[in-house]
Amino acid sequence: MLSKKLEEALNAQINAELWSAYLYLSMSADCAAKGYIGMENWFHVQFQEEQDHAMKIFNYLISRGARVDLRPIDKVGKSWATPLAAFEDTLEHEQVVTKMINDLYALADKEKEYATQSMLNWFIDEQVEEEETAQKYIDALKMIGNNGFGLYQFDKELAKRTYTPLV
Ligand code: FEO
């Protein structure tokens, strides 16, 4: 049986994942409003994946006989000055999520909760990818600078991302 402390922390993580989904949905809308259809797509897929992250923990809590506690989702930003600013916010946010996952893992370790650690291993690997991708796009956008054709090509590239359900 999960401890109340771990149950509470996993519920907080569900909320953080849903907040992430909300953040990326807002970025997607902002890109749509500005005509960046590739980035609109990319952030929309990101939105879908974050919901899957939340559901992975949601399903885990249920499978362990623990209670799901859905909380209000805080407001997110509405507009980003540039695509670079959106990806910089993405990286910053993913770094916060990585810390949350690491803290969860440390708690599960302290409680000798091996099944929870096993479930969290997926998230640890995922966070490496999340941060790497955001950094990759930040580097590319810095290289592109004010080059309109470069930005057009970048946007076209991000239009290719497709969503594969996780859960
Ligand atoms: Fe669910 Fe982007 O981490």
Side-chain angles (χ1 to χ4, degrees):
M1 198 179 144
L2 290 181
S3 71
K4 280 289 156 207
K5 198 170 172 184
L6 198 48
E7 182 182 280
E8 154 67 30
L10 287 166
N11 273 303
Q13 192 64 38
I14 290 178
N15 188 268
E17 300 292 346
L18 291 175
W19 190 86
S20 305
Y22 216 44
L23 173 70
Y24 296 133
L25 185 61
S26 186
M27 286 180 174
S28 179
D30 191 37
C31 289
K34 291 165 181 165
Y36 297 128
I37 54 173
M39 284 180 261
E40 173 192 355
N41 168 67
W42 194 90
F43 281 115
H44 191 267
V45 172
Q46 193 73 359
F47 154 69
Q48 289 172 297
E49 288 195 353
E50 296 297 351
Q51 291 176 89
D52 284 352
H53 298 174
M55 287 311 295
K56 201 172 169 71
I57 302 170
F58 177 104
N59 290 337
Y60 178 73
L61 282 173
I62 289 176
S63 71
R64 295 296 307 273
R67 287 308 305 257
V68 168
D69 178 19
L70 297 177
R71 297 139 190 210
I73 301 169
D74 288 343
K75 195 168 165 47
V76 293
K78 185 176 164 188
S79 182
W80 285 264
T82 59
L84 177 60
F87 280 102
E88 282 174 338
D89 268 12
T90 297
L91 177 61
E92 198 179 310
H93 174 60
E94 290 300 337
Q95 286 166 339
V96 171
V97 173
T98 299
K99 186 178 179 323
M100 289 184 78
I101 296 288
N102 287 345
D103 289 349
L104 260 175
Y105 194 93
L107 177 61
D109 189 43
K110 193 171 151 215
E111 296 190 2
K112 296 191 187 338
E113 246 301 331
Y114 302 117
T116 302
Q117 287 175 59
S118 175
M119 185 273 294
L120 289 171
N121 277 329
W122 183 89
F123 283 89
I124 288 171
D125 294 343
E126 172 68 11
Q127 285 311 119
V128 172
E129 201 185 305
E130 292 276 60
E131 288 190 29
E132 186 186 9
T133 305
Q135 186 63 60
K136 184 176 79 179
Y137 291 152
I138 287 169
D139 293 345
L141 285 165
K142 281 185 177 168
M143 209 185 303
I144 289 165
N146 289 326
N147 183 316
F149 185 66
L151 192 56
Y152 170 76
Q153 291 288 41
F154 178 87
D155 193 57
K156 221 167 137 181
E157 188 62 32
L158 269 63
K160 292 179 193 160
R161 186 180 188 191
T162 55
Y163 167 66
T164 308
L166 175 71
V167 289

